[in-house]
Amino acid sequence: MEEGERVVKIQKDTEEVEHKQQEIWSWGAGTDGQLGTGKLEDEHTPQFLINLSNSISSFGHISLLSCGGAHVIALTSDGKVLSWGRGASGQLGHGEKLDFKLDFCFVLFFCHQKLTPPDSGCLFTCGDGSFGQLGHGDYHSCSSPMEVLFFNSKHVEQVACGMRHTLVLSKGNIEAYLCWLSLLVAGNTGEKVYGFGSGKRGQLGVSEDKIKSLSFPEPCSGIQGAEVVAVFANGDQSAALSADGCLYTWGRGFSSNSNTCIPQSLPSTLYFKQAALGWNHALILTSEDEVFMLGGSNHGVLSEPQKTIHLHNVSGKSNFSKVTGLGEKKVVQIAAGAEHSAIVTGQLENGQIYSWGWGEHGQLGLGGINDHTVPQLVMAEDNSMISKVYCGSGFTFALRQSLDC
Amino acid sequence: MSYDDVEIEDMEWNEELQAYTYPCPCGDLFQITKEDLRLGEEIARCPSCSLYLTVIYNLEDFADNSKQNTNFQHSKQQLISVA
């Protein structure tokens, strides 16, 4: 270990992992300040966010990033929350309906919260609530994180946000709860998926009947039997992964067919361990570290519509096929924006990013604005040590280990 | 080619922009004004990129009220033109 190098040891599951100083990079659509560069411009090549990286390093490192339409929320290793980008709906959680385009700001609400073990597993939401997607039982927007009281007696494991809806994975206790249809007693203690917000495309998965919207969480039907380990949402799409490697999807769907109102299992002998949703495509990672795409007949041809004719699946069913062009590379992580894809291959010092799909805003990070239908290596000259990639609607973030050693 | 077809009911009225809006995959908003709709315009554009939406709506819902009244005049009235 050389002098001057900062090493942060964190506990990751049962392993201890050493993290060198973390670098944060971003590229893509940037006119709302979502890239964190301090400028309101798109970037077509990866930008090293030196200010953000240095500031965060004094608080540890980023353990999780979540990218929305034009804003980003970051969780640091010591439990602090930062946000930046568009904030006109209150989505930054700073207490005002203001953008934070030229800088980033701590969400002070969470700095002051002491969430001790009994309190953990609570869900807080803020931002646009016009479709009931905040889950507070009304259609109001909120500019500070407000607790979703429905989950007070439950333990929230995960939350996923689509364009106008929210999915929650939680562990419930044996209890009685009142939903807007009837009084029910929850008999099982297993994981349950709940949906709220806009339901016009079936993305809530709670009923065969058409639902315009829900402002209060309702359980998704059709997957109670499965042990759900992860939920995903983007656009009007919803998905869940079960412990036995099945993928369930519902919502608008990935073909020209009509909406699916109840979770449907994707027929396959493959074991799926990770998923990432776009607005019209999904990436799915198998246990063999291969990535498949569901839908995406327009993926990489948005700027050249005449090419769509050749890719469209005429049977009407969603296209499901392995992503080509990666050779034998093992894919370790997948991410999807609205209309682009990004993956990480290899681990630690071998981590590299490939991206493809819509490129008009530079979200592919390849230096141009062309679309690509096949994965392209990003940062080709200096391309390793990538640990994580995240996608917002039209932009991409990457975390990388510092090369200083 | 239109990115998507969206019903006007699914668009949100934005007071600041004075337009109906719908999220664009780039992160900005597709926009169409009431004036556009009154003129029978179907395209909602994104100020940041080349994508656009086709808006589905009934023209009658946005037609000019004064033009509607003219059709149902029973009494003789002189139309006064204002310079």
Side-chain angles (χ1 to χ4, degrees):
Chain A
M1 215 183 296
E2 287 190 353
E3 215 180 327
E5 182 187 54
R6 291 188 55 201
V7 176
V8 179
K9 276 195 176 192
I10 62 157
Q11 200 82 21
K12 191 180 178 186
D13 295 333
T14 53
E15 297 170 24
E16 273 206 9
V17 179
E18 281 193 20
H19 275 250
K20 300 191 174 77
Q21 181 148 345
Q22 189 186 60
E23 291 181 355
I24 308 164
W25 293 68
S26 69
W27 58 93
T31 49
D32 275 300
Q34 60 265 55
L35 298 182
T37 55
K39 292 182 286 181
L40 303 183
E41 298 167 2
D42 292 357
E43 297 288 350
H44 302 161
T45 54
Q47 302 297 305
F48 174 35
L49 304 181
I50 191 161
N51 288 334
L52 188 60
S53 302
N54 285 340
S55 300
I56 286 177
S57 66
S58 55
F59 299 104
H61 61 274
I62 288 190
S63 45
L64 190 68
L65 267 189
S66 189
C67 305
H71 72 296
V72 182
I73 304 184
L75 175 67
T76 67
S77 49
D78 65 344
K80 298 220 169 16
V81 178
L82 288 93
S83 61
W84 61 90
R86 185 192 294 151
S89 299
Q91 61 266 56
L92 299 182
H94 298 166
E96 301 146 338
K97 290 190 173 182
L98 286 183
D99 304 319
F100 231 88
K101 299 184 173 184
L102 299 176
D103 204 342
F104 52 90
C105 179
F106 282 104
V107 182
L108 294 175
F109 178 88
F110 289 111
C111 291
H112 296 148
Q113 287 282 306
K114 275 190 177 170
L115 295 176
T116 55
D119 291 332
S120 61
C122 303
L123 176 68
F124 295 83
T125 58
C126 65
D128 183 29
S130 358
F131 298 90
Q133 66 266 56
L134 298 184
H136 301 306
D138 57 44
Y139 292 89
H140 301 141
S141 299
C142 213
S143 47
S144 276
M146 198 156 106
E147 190 179 354
V148 182
L149 296 172
F150 178 87
F151 296 102
N152 210 291
S153 53
K154 300 174 182 53
H155 190 279
V156 172
E157 307 271 318
Q158 285 184 27
V159 62
C161 299
M163 187 194 289
R164 293 170 172 176
H165 75 293
T166 308
L167 298 178
V168 171
L169 177 65
S170 84
K171 278 196 169 87
N173 304 313
I174 297 176
E175 60 181 359
Y177 61 93
L178 179 73
C179 79
W180 62 279
L181 281 178
S182 60
L183 185 67
L184 295 174
V185 175
N188 63 335
T189 55
E191 291 77 16
K192 252 194 147 113
V193 180
Y194 296 86
F196 45 99
S198 172
K200 281 190 88 168
R201 306 269 196 179
Q203 62 265 57
L204 299 182
V206 304
S207 167
E208 282 284 3
D209 302 322
K210 286 201 171 178
I211 291 185
K212 195 171 169 196
S213 67
L214 291 175
S215 61
F216 209 62
E218 290 270 327
C220 295
S221 51
I223 40 174
Q224 287 107 328
E227 188 190 338
V228 177
V229 295
V231 289
F232 310 92
N234 200 354
D236 293 325
Q237 313 284 11
S238 298
L241 273 181
S242 60
D244 58 355
C246 286
L247 177 77
Y248 296 84
T249 63
W250 62 102
R252 181 173 181 164
F254 303 99
S255 69
S256 53
N257 287 347
S258 56
N259 314 317
T260 309
C261 300
I262 298 286
Q264 304 289 325
S265 161
L266 180 69
S268 177
T269 53
L270 298 166
Y271 181 102
F272 301 125
K273 63 177 181 179
Q274 206 31 262
L277 301 185
W279 290 12
N280 289 296
H281 77 293
L283 299 179
I284 316 164
L285 187 61
T286 69
S287 53
E288 302 296 310
D289 300 326
E290 293 178 325
V291 61
F292 283 70
M293 182 176 292
L294 181 60
S297 57
N298 287 335
H299 211 60
V301 293
L302 273 188
S303 303
E304 291 170 283
Q306 66 274 14
K307 284 190 178 172
T308 312
I309 304 163
H310 304 295
L311 292 181
H312 193 80
N313 190 323
V314 294
S315 71
K317 269 170 55 174
S318 293
N319 226 7
F320 177 67
S321 57
K322 186 176 167 189
V323 172
T324 57
L326 295 168
E328 295 302 311
K329 291 192 169 60
K330 286 197 178 297
V331 178
V332 300
Q333 202 231 324
I334 54 176
E339 293 290 347
H340 74 290
S341 301
I343 59 173
V344 178
T345 62
Q347 284 191 344
L348 298 173
E349 58 274 2
N350 297 318
Q352 293 184 320
I353 299 185
Y354 285 79
S355 67
W356 71 108
W358 187 40
E360 188 176 333
H361 292 272
Q363 60 264 58
L364 301 184
L366 303 171
I369 58 168
N370 295 326
D371 295 353
H372 286 272
T373 55
V374 172
Q376 307 292 315
L377 181 62
V378 181
M379 292 163 85
E381 305 81 39
D382 202 7
N383 61 7
S384 54
M385 312 286 277
I386 299 292
S387 54
K388 278 276 198 177
V389 71
Y390 301 92
C391 294
S393 278
F395 61 102
T396 311
F397 265 78
L399 301 179
R400 185 195 197 196
Q401 288 175 353
S402 170
L403 293 176
D404 297 326
C405 51
Chain B
M1 196 181 83
S2 171
Y3 174 71
D4 200 3
D5 298 334
V6 174
E7 291 172 19
I8 190 67
E9 298 86 50
D10 291 335
M11 298 188 80
E12 287 183 278
W13 174 253
N14 186 304
E15 198 59 41
E16 281 152 40
L17 294 173
Q18 283 290 299
Y20 289 97
T21 66
Y22 192 83
C24 176
C26 75
D28 206 330
L29 298 166
F30 291 113
Q31 296 164 36
I32 190 164
T33 64
K34 281 181 181 165
E35 189 58 38
D36 290 332
L37 295 164
R38 201 170 14 231
L39 294 170
E41 177 63 62
E42 278 183 331
I43 304 295
R45 294 187 193 281
C46 174
S48 297
C49 60
S50 67
L51 300 182
Y52 61 90
L53 292 180
T54 304
V55 182
I56 300 166
Y57 68 103
N58 286 326
L59 186 56
E60 301 92 68
D61 295 337
F62 291 92
D64 205 347
N65 282 337
S66 59
K67 285 192 185 138
Q68 278 179 333
N69 290 337
T70 321
N71 294 333
F72 298 102
Q73 273 182 337
H74 293 295
S75 54
K76 279 187 188 171
Q77 259 185 344
Q78 252 185 341
L79 287 170
I80 302 163
S81 60
V82 180

